[in-house]
Amino acid sequence: MPLLAPTRPVQAFLLLSTCLPDHEYLDRPNTNNCMLRFTAVLRRQQFLIRALSGEAHSRGATEIKVMAEGNLEADAVSILRRITPLLDPNRNKGQAGKIAVIGGCREYTGAPYFAAISALKIGADLSHVFCTKDAAMVIKSYSPELIVHPILEESYSVRDEDKGLISSKTVAEVAKWIERFDCLVIGPGLGRDPFLLDCVGEILKLARRSNIPVVIDGDGLFLVTNNLDLVSGYALAVLTPNVNEYKRLVQKVLDSEVNDQDASEQLLSLAKSIGGITILRKGKSDLISDGRTVHVVSSFGSPRRCGGQGDILSGSVAAFSSWARQVQTTAEEDATFSTSNPMVLGCIAASALLRKAASVAFESNKRSTLTTDIIEHLGRSLEDISPAC
């Protein structure tokens, strides 16, 4: 997004920034002082221009560009305020969202926790995790807030002759709960054990038959990339690939390489080719498409790329898309909103909020910023945009 020309107050700030002392550089050799001062000044100016490049950015807003069907520009802040429910004493437990994460194995216990706890921190009422028995106690120890179901199995613990029976029992156990959930997050910390992936594929089929929205991330993307029929044509499915996962999807579906020059058109074609599912392509700017429109969320977040931020995003998409579906049922008077894809709205809201929370966390922690720091700023960041009461 091109930077706006600085206003006079901004120009004054930039001029002032060139005059500020750089005490940290004064003890360096004189031959380096000029260059060091110039570098520091340039960093200040770039930061100020970025921070003040628009009224919306100064309030934590995000510009969303819809590059298909009318070039309509939307506002992530408006979307966040529209779909985030107010806290109402007349509501009951569960009405603000019930999310389930399918993932977690011996090697990976952090990812399902991050996804599930992020949904709670945003405001969902209940978060479940369906994981392997080896992962269950570890995930339980992270937080008493999560409801953990140790029902998944890996190949090493199942004899070949028992696999059919165990798979059926696993799916049946999930079936007891699935109608209660507003959204499933499939893939965080799942791993790539063949038997486990087969079971999760059956759970995904169950969710689809039950018309339950699904957000697919991590190793869940490995699963569906190799079996596109699991999600093809399912309008309530969201894929959230990173750069490598997106590359594999493009190669598999479009039989081509990633084209960053025409990124929006390629994403549009990819989503359309998988039957109009929603894809959130993660990157410096997040691109979101359901095969009809493309949206860009490009607000500045954090340069810190610690692992786990994608798990925050997947849990957040689950919560926000659930809220968007609830609001949509009462939005008949708002024709534009009532015809919008709730999965797309959830992606826009989640992307914008994560970027804001990451920015706030980085401001305090700099290089030491961790995923847990970002999670702790989710609630405050959302409150700044959409007050609870």
Side-chain angles (χ1 to χ4, degrees), residues 90-112:
N90 295 316
R91 302 190 80 181
N92 300 316
K93 179 177 67 176
Q95 287 185 281
K98 302 177 291 296
I99 307 302
V101 177
I102 312 294
C105 62
R106 283 185 299 173
E107 291 86 357
Y108 307 115
T109 58

Side-chain angles (χ1 to χ4, degrees), residues 163-184:
K163 286 183 176 178
L165 177 62
I166 297 298
S167 178
S168 297
K169 286 184 175 180
T170 299
V171 175
E173 186 63 28
V174 176
K176 295 177 184 177
W177 292 87
I178 198 163
E179 295 292 345
R180 308 182 192 188
F181 299 135
D182 297 302
C183 189
L184 300 187

Side-chain angles (χ1 to χ4, degrees), residues 9-25 36-49 52:
V10 176
Q11 291 171 342
F13 264 121
L14 296 179
L15 179 61
L16 178 61
S17 72
T18 65
C19 304
L20 296 175
D22 291 302
H23 300 296
E24 66 271 29
Y25 299 128
L36 291 168
R37 286 178 182 275
F38 175 78
T39 302
V41 167
L42 184 60
R43 284 202 306 269
R44 286 195 191 94
Q45 291 183 347
Q46 289 174 335
F47 173 78
L48 287 168
I49 291 173
L52 297 170

Side-chain angles (χ1 to χ4, degrees), residues 152-213:
L152 302 181
E153 298 279 4
E154 295 181 82
S155 298
Y156 76 91
S157 63
V158 181
R159 296 182 302 180
D160 287 344
E161 58 267 29
D162 294 334
K163 286 183 176 178
L165 177 62
I166 297 298
S167 178
S168 297
K169 286 184 175 180
T170 299
V171 175
E173 186 63 28
V174 176
K176 295 177 184 177
W177 292 87
I178 198 163
E179 295 292 345
R180 308 182 192 188
F181 299 135
D182 297 302
C183 189
L184 300 187
V185 181
I186 297 178
L190 186 60
R192 296 187 179 181
D193 178 81
F195 176 70
L196 179 54
L197 289 178
D198 286 344
C199 288
V200 172
E202 294 303 314
I203 293 171
L204 184 48
K205 292 177 184 177
L206 172 65
R208 185 168 181 170
R209 290 195 300 270
S210 305
N211 208 39
I212 304 297

